[in-house]
Amino acid sequence: MRIFYGVQGTGNGHLSRARAMARALGHYPDVQVDWLFSGRQRDAYFDMALFDDFQCRRGLTFHVHAGQLQPLKTLQHANLLSLHRDIRTLGLTGYDLVISDYEPITARAARRQGIPCIGIGHQYAFRFPVPMRGGNLLSRAILQRFAPVTIPVGLHWHHFDQPILPPIVDLAHGLAPQGNTENRVLVYLPFEDQDALLPLFRQFTQYDFYIYAPGQRWHDDDHLHTRPLSRDGFQQDLVDSHWVICNAGFELISEALQLGKRIMAKPLRGQIEQLANAAALEQLGYAAIEDRIDCAALAFWFDCEPVAPRTRYPDVAAALARWISGGCTEPAASLSDQLWRDTDRGRGSWKMGRVA
């Protein structure tokens, strides 16, 4: 089976899912996978050895400033002619299947050439009635149609009585906490003003903050520790931390839930997916949600000792790889049922905005 796999490269969560899927599909010698990533420059990717000689395209990139999506700037910098050319010229002859992790070029090229396309990713969960917040008819339409597929396989933290799957959690095996983690905080707020965050965290001297963001340098200043992006270092600091402060993206929160971390999430203003994630986290009781991270919010969060939920998600990547290698003959709803039965919570029921 030959598979062409496209990945939206603007967020590191998409890359984490892709790494997990690459390892899982690698167990099937009859499955050959070629990869395309779009959304950032080739030299801005890291830890890409799993993908061999992957293709890279410009795609579409969302522009953000100081924690808020910039729709006009996004439109100004969108090269729609280049996008259309990439869709039209992407050759998929000889491939049996296309998979898209919310990547528009591969999804639209597959539709244009009549090749079956499976969408695997968090965004495909929004095709079903899951918690939503914010946005308007236009933004919701864009969310639904950005990367159209034949079979949507959505991922979410809970099933919400819908045929969606648990998250693909990409955590390295064998990681264990190194020392006391009680007062250690992992911070990943790449869309925020980093110069404003450091003086805020400096006030909380009883905690050690490990702060990751694009462009950060490796520097230790008393209890503040800034770090450049790196997969291995980031995962070790995640394991070593008791607290996680992040935007309301999907993958890091999935990893933090699996590890039983206490989570504060600030949704990116104007970004419908993160606003919807915040709504789901609140309804599930999985995280503290803040529209603004300031001294009062941090002090309350640290002092109130919130209960840290711990979910036990199964190996979704392995299950998907088996499903794909078998020709995707089993209905996705059956796969969903089985995977939720394998979690600690089971499928349960979803009534009146609460998990039973």
Side-chain angles (χ1 to χ4, degrees):
M1 175 186 289
R2 292 193 67 200
I3 298 173
F4 197 90
Y5 205 130
V7 181
Q8 172 65 263
T10 55
N12 289 318
H14 298 272
L15 301 182
S16 293
R17 280 196 296 275
R19 292 186 188 102
M21 289 302 301
R23 285 191 293 269
L25 289 167
H27 290 297
Y28 297 88
D30 293 336
V31 175
Q32 175 190 334
V33 186
D34 294 316
W35 297 87
L36 180 147
F37 294 81
S38 73
R40 68 173 88 170
Q41 296 294 322
R42 191 181 190 93
D43 59 4
Y45 292 99
F46 59 92
D47 191 19
M48 300 293 284
L50 276 170
F51 307 114
D52 296 324
D53 188 22
F54 64 91
Q55 296 186 43
C56 190
R57 298 288 188 276
R58 175 174 177 168
L60 291 174
T61 302
F62 296 98
H63 288 266
V64 178
H65 176 69
Q68 183 163 352
L69 183 68
Q70 305 289 306
L72 290 179
K73 191 172 182 180
T74 296
L75 287 174
Q76 289 171 357
H77 288 81
N79 191 330
L80 298 181
L81 287 177
S82 174
L83 178 68
H84 177 71
R85 182 172 60 250
D86 286 340
I87 294 168
R88 182 169 45 83
T89 59
L90 181 63
L92 297 174
T93 301
Y95 288 97
D96 302 294
L97 178 67
V98 170
I99 300 175
S100 173
D101 188 331
Y102 208 55
E103 200 292 306
I105 296 171
T106 48
R108 292 182 177 276
R111 170 176 282 191
R112 187 172 184 270
Q113 297 175 45
I115 298 176
C117 182
I118 296 173
I120 299 176
H122 177 50
Q123 287 84 356
Y124 295 107
F126 296 109
R127 297 194 174 206
F128 303 97
V130 300
M132 294 292 295
R133 177 183 296 165
N136 51 40
L137 290 177
L138 177 60
S139 61
R140 295 192 181 202
I142 292 173
L143 179 67
Q144 297 278 351
R145 300 175 185 175
F146 184 78
V149 297
T150 312
I151 303 174
V153 179
L155 312 171
H156 216 313
W157 298 306
H158 189 71
H159 53 78
F160 305 106
D161 283 340
Q162 302 301 320
I164 53 184
L165 275 57
I168 295 172
V169 179
D170 181 38
L171 287 170
H173 294 293
L175 287 178
Q178 299 177 355
N180 181 23
T181 65
E182 185 67 27
N183 295 324
R184 193 159 173 157
V185 186
L186 178 76
V187 180
Y188 183 60
L189 294 165
F191 303 115
E192 308 300 319
D193 182 353
Q194 303 300 308
D195 292 336
L197 290 175
L198 293 178
L200 172 62
F201 296 141
R202 193 175 297 279
Q203 300 176 59
F204 294 85
T205 56
Q206 67 272 46
Y207 297 96
D208 283 304
F209 294 88
Y210 286 77
I211 305 161
Y212 283 80
Q216 286 283 21
R217 62 190 180 96
W218 186 289
H219 182 65
D220 297 310
D221 180 9
D222 194 19
H223 65 293
L224 302 185
H225 312 272
T226 57
R227 298 289 186 264
L229 296 180
S230 69
R231 184 60 183 163
D232 293 341
F234 183 87
Q235 284 210 339
Q236 185 62 60
D237 283 328
L238 173 61
V239 170
D240 287 343
S241 297
H242 189 64
W243 315 79
V244 174
I245 302 174
C246 59
N247 291 117
F250 183 67
E251 192 63 29
L252 172 55
I253 291 176
S254 300
E255 295 170 0
L257 289 171
Q258 186 88 329
L259 292 169
K261 307 301 180 180
R262 293 188 168 111
I263 304 166
M264 174 185 284
K266 177 192 176 295
L268 178 61
R269 292 192 298 275
Q271 216 273 11
I272 185 172
E273 179 197 348
Q274 293 212 3
L275 292 170
N277 287 347
L281 290 166
E282 280 188 326
Q283 291 188 35
L284 293 165
Y286 282 178
I289 304 300
E290 298 291 343
D291 293 328
R292 174 184 173 86
I293 296 179
D294 55 22
C295 187
L298 287 172
F300 179 80
W301 185 54
F302 285 133
D303 291 342
C304 74
E305 286 294 321
V307 175
R310 182 161 188 169
T311 56
R312 295 283 187 177
Y313 296 122
D315 191 341
V316 177
L320 280 169
R322 286 194 300 270
W323 181 65
I324 291 165
S325 67
C328 311
T329 56
E330 180 185 4
S334 298
L335 186 61
S336 171
D337 287 337
Q338 179 59 54
L339 287 169
W340 286 112
R341 281 197 299 269
D342 291 342
T343 66
D344 278 353
R345 290 178 178 269
R347 278 197 67 89
S349 61
W350 177 253
K351 300 296 183 184
M352 301 297 291
R354 297 180 62 190
V355 181

